Amino acid sequence: DAAKVKSCKADVLYNYGTKDNYIKSADVKAFGELVKSAGHKFIQHDFEAVHAFANPSNPHYDKAAAEEAGGYALAFLKQKLGVE
């Protein structure tokens, strides 16, 4: 929803499982364009993984991808919050 995205007041980090059967690549791209048009950065990292790949209760949990995505998330938050 473009109106909701326009009210966003922050940059967005998106860790995407490219084998996701629920969230389509075109939708992620459109969302990223909306975020950018609202004047924010859209940082996307793609993983060859399924939906919820970082959830350990998922039968298709991908530990390596989850750890990498978690690293991106932690670095992003540290940068935005100004902590080390």
Side-chain angles (χ1 to χ4, degrees):
D1 181 310
K4 288 182 183 177
V5 172
K6 283 194 175 217
S7 70
C8 178
K9 300 193 182 339
D11 296 336
V12 174
L13 170 70
Y14 198 99
N15 291 323
Y16 179 61
T18 59
K19 296 179 182 177
D20 192 323
N21 290 325
Y22 303 101
I23 302 171
K24 303 298 180 205
S25 178
D27 295 333
V28 175
K29 184 177 180 179
F31 176 66
E33 293 302 320
L34 287 173
V35 170
K36 291 182 212 172
S37 72
H40 302 291
K41 291 180 184 175
F42 183 78
I43 303 151
Q44 180 177 339
H45 297 281
D46 292 343
F47 296 89
E48 236 181 275
V50 299
H51 183 80
F53 67 89
N55 180 345
S57 67
N58 179 351
H60 300 288
Y61 171 66
D62 184 326
K63 184 177 181 184
E67 288 177 356
E68 187 177 351
Y72 288 133
L74 187 58
F76 178 82
L77 289 171
K78 283 181 175 181
Q79 179 200 22
K80 299 302 172 187
L81 297 172
V83 297
E84 289 188 32

